[in-house]
Amino acid sequence: MDQKPQPPSHGLAACPNPECAEPVDPRDRYCGACGYDLSATVEPPGGQDRPTMPIAAPVWPEAPPRDPGSLSTLTQHPGELPGTDSGGRDLPTVPVRTDGPVAAPEPSAASAPVAAPAPSAPPTPAPTPEAGPEPVPPSGETVRGGGDFELAAPDPRVAVRVDPATAAPAAAPGADPGEPAEGTCVACRAGRVDGDGYCENCGHAQPRERDHMERELGTVAAVSDRGLRHHRNEDSFALTETSLPDGRPATVAIVCDGVSSAHRPDEASAAAARAAGAVIGEALPRGTHPQQAMHEAIVAAAEAVTALARTGGDGADAPPGGNSPACTIVGSVVTDGLLVVGWVGDSRAYWVPDDRTAPAARLTEDDSWAAQMVKAGLMNEAQAYADERAHAITGWLGADAYELEPHTAAFKPDRPGVVVVCTDGLWNYAEAAEAMAGALPADAALRPLHAARVLVGHALDGGGHDNITVALTPFTPPPAGAGSS
């Protein structure tokens, strides 16, 4: 989870929006779940105290005994529970009948009001048992019982009848009967999923497409996961396989991490990854040097994120005063004998040789408060990354970035290995290069998708506090004596 430098703490532990209540960081400007402006919280007048008031816990009645063999307890009605209604009056003590309507008690002669005599009318015969059930009153009439409530009787003429055969979409021929049909709830496997992503039957929120993403393209693979604490996945990635003008293959991996304290971070990361992957995939076949192509890709990604600030999420003009969309980026290009990396922010690239007796290495340097403290000699790495300000980034892609400074570097490893590009959701649990090498499976070059899944699992086992994205690209050096770019 990346954050821009933050203003003084607002003192909130959770979003004040009553429909959200998502936990927030004391230095967040906006709620990451609903976008609520946390700085707009009304402060109490100067000198006004807010004393802590003890609240007595309510005493709830014990549940009634359960019948032997039954899975549910007896029904409790409002009149059987102690307490008052919203007006402060005692709750009704008249037993509630569930076996049919009860005639209202006849008022006594002493208490009955005097009324004008009504015109005579033929008496209505009482229903007999042979006459069958009473007819349902027309829509709008009420059924009066012995309680204090009047309930409108349902009108069967407007009732919706559901045909079980059409209640859920039919499964496709040959589909696995254990899998829910498309558009069917994954929880109850019966209800339809509405446009907001919730089951109309059980109300279960359905997994979103970006909650967990996997892709394998030739020799490169990537996995992205929402993690265990965030309500959505704000990471994104792009994979590309292309070739240089001389026909040598080139593999590209781009990973972006949305800045959670910014507006629409998920859209920012997706736009940046898409733009960077497209630009570098077109530049390499034209003969652009991989390091220059990486620089151009990062600039294009920054322009794509900046463009989001001019429009709202629905394509309308962006509201004034919003925190501009932002993200970090890291990418790699692997071609014959050359490894190029580029980055802005604190997403990282690692080099892990196949021979684990050889040292692994981190190929990028974070644009973050912690990295600046270490570089200035004010803290060692352990002290800096233990500080609460460690993940305050000093470089990002977005309209409000201080200055865009794409970092690129080129390497020529002399042995085979694997290039790991990832977000801080992974390297938080394997920060040092040796730790990343220890978490990476030994057969990562042969099974990159499997290895990426293992690394994501490593982060989830460590707590999964952030979104997790990793892409793995095997590197093979050219044969001895062969030329390289």
Side-chain angles (χ1 to χ4, degrees):
M1 175 178 64
D2 301 313
Q3 293 184 350
K4 303 176 186 176
Q6 298 297 306
S9 172
H10 46 64
L12 298 175
C15 176
N17 184 352
E19 299 180 358
C20 176
E22 178 81 5
V24 296
D25 188 270
R27 296 183 180 272
D28 283 350
R29 291 179 179 176
Y30 296 85
C31 174
C34 69
Y36 188 91
D37 186 356
L38 303 178
S39 63
T41 304
V42 179
E43 295 294 333
Q48 179 177 338
D49 189 17
R50 291 181 176 178
T52 301
M53 302 296 293
I55 300 177
V59 179
W60 301 103
E62 296 184 358
R66 185 171 60 185
D67 295 335
S70 173
L71 297 179
S72 62
T73 59
L74 297 176
T75 302
Q76 285 184 317
H77 300 291
E80 301 170 355
L81 299 176
T84 60
D85 61 15
S86 58
R89 299 179 295 273
D90 290 338
L91 289 174
T93 57
V94 179
V96 178
R97 296 287 301 273
T98 59
D99 56 350
V102 178
E106 292 293 337
S108 62
S111 61
V114 178
S120 59
T124 302
T128 60
E130 293 77 7
E134 295 182 14
V136 178
S139 176
E141 295 187 10
T142 59
V143 178
R144 297 182 181 271
D148 292 349
F149 305 95
E150 296 181 355
L151 304 178
D155 185 359
R157 294 168 296 182
V158 297
V160 177
R161 183 178 299 276
V162 178
D163 184 357
T166 60
D176 184 356
E179 292 295 327
E182 183 178 359
T184 304
C185 176
V186 299
C188 68
R189 297 175 179 262
R192 297 176 187 269
V193 178
D194 62 18
D196 294 330
Y198 291 86
C199 175
E200 296 178 347
N201 179 47
C202 68
H204 188 89
Q206 305 302 294
R208 286 173 283 194
E209 182 181 1
R210 287 183 63 172
D211 283 356
H212 185 88
M213 301 180 291
E214 296 184 356
R215 191 182 182 201
E216 188 171 27
L217 181 65
T219 59
V220 62
V223 176
S224 182
D225 192 89
R226 179 172 60 91
L228 304 178
R229 301 295 182 89
H230 282 242
H231 69 287
R232 65 182 175 188
N233 188 359
E234 297 170 355
D235 290 355
S236 191
F237 65 84
L239 306 180
T240 303
E241 279 203 332
T242 185
S243 59
L244 304 181
D246 59 5
R248 288 180 296 169
T251 304
V252 180
I254 303 292
V255 167
C256 297
D257 182 1
V259 177
S260 61
S261 59
H263 187 48
R264 295 153 57 198
D266 53 332
E267 296 181 34
S269 62
R274 185 167 51 248
V279 168
I280 202 168
E282 295 174 358
L284 292 176
R286 294 198 306 262
T288 306
H289 189 277
Q291 192 166 357
Q292 177 62 29
M294 178 62 73
H295 183 279
E296 295 175 359
I298 295 176
V299 172
E303 293 174 350
V305 178
T306 299
L308 291 177
R310 296 191 289 268
T311 61
D314 54 0
D317 292 341
N323 206 357
S324 300
C327 70
T328 67
I329 186 172
V330 63
S332 68
V333 178
V334 171
T335 186
D336 191 17
L338 184 67
L339 164 60
V340 171
V341 296
W343 73 98
V344 171
D346 64 349
S347 294
R348 293 181 177 180
Y350 291 84
W351 162 255
V352 180
D354 290 347
D355 180 7
R356 298 303 168 85
T357 61
R362 198 177 95 194
L363 307 178
T364 57
E365 182 179 343
D366 297 346
D367 292 321
S368 69
W369 179 91
Q372 287 187 345
M373 295 298 103
V374 174
K375 188 175 182 179
L378 300 177
M379 292 183 177
N380 61 36
E381 203 165 80
Q383 292 172 332
Y385 284 101
D387 193 281
E388 64 178 4
R389 297 165 289 183
H391 289 275
I393 56 177
T394 57
W396 61 85
L397 308 183
D400 59 353
Y402 297 137
E403 185 177 354
L404 179 62
E405 295 182 3
H407 312 292
T408 60
F411 306 89
K412 292 185 177 181
D414 60 355
R415 65 195 67 200
V418 176
V419 183
V420 181
V421 292
C422 63
T423 62
D424 59 347
L426 172 60
W427 66 252
N428 276 333
Y429 303 99
E431 187 174 331
E434 296 77 14
M436 185 65 71
L440 186 69
D443 61 350
L446 300 176
R447 298 198 297 165
L449 180 59
H450 166 76
R453 291 169 177 166
V454 171
L455 290 179
V456 170
H458 175 78
L460 293 174
D461 291 342
H465 288 258
D466 199 358
N467 305 146
I468 310 154
T469 302
V470 58
L472 302 180
T473 307
F475 175 89
T476 304
S484 62
S485 58

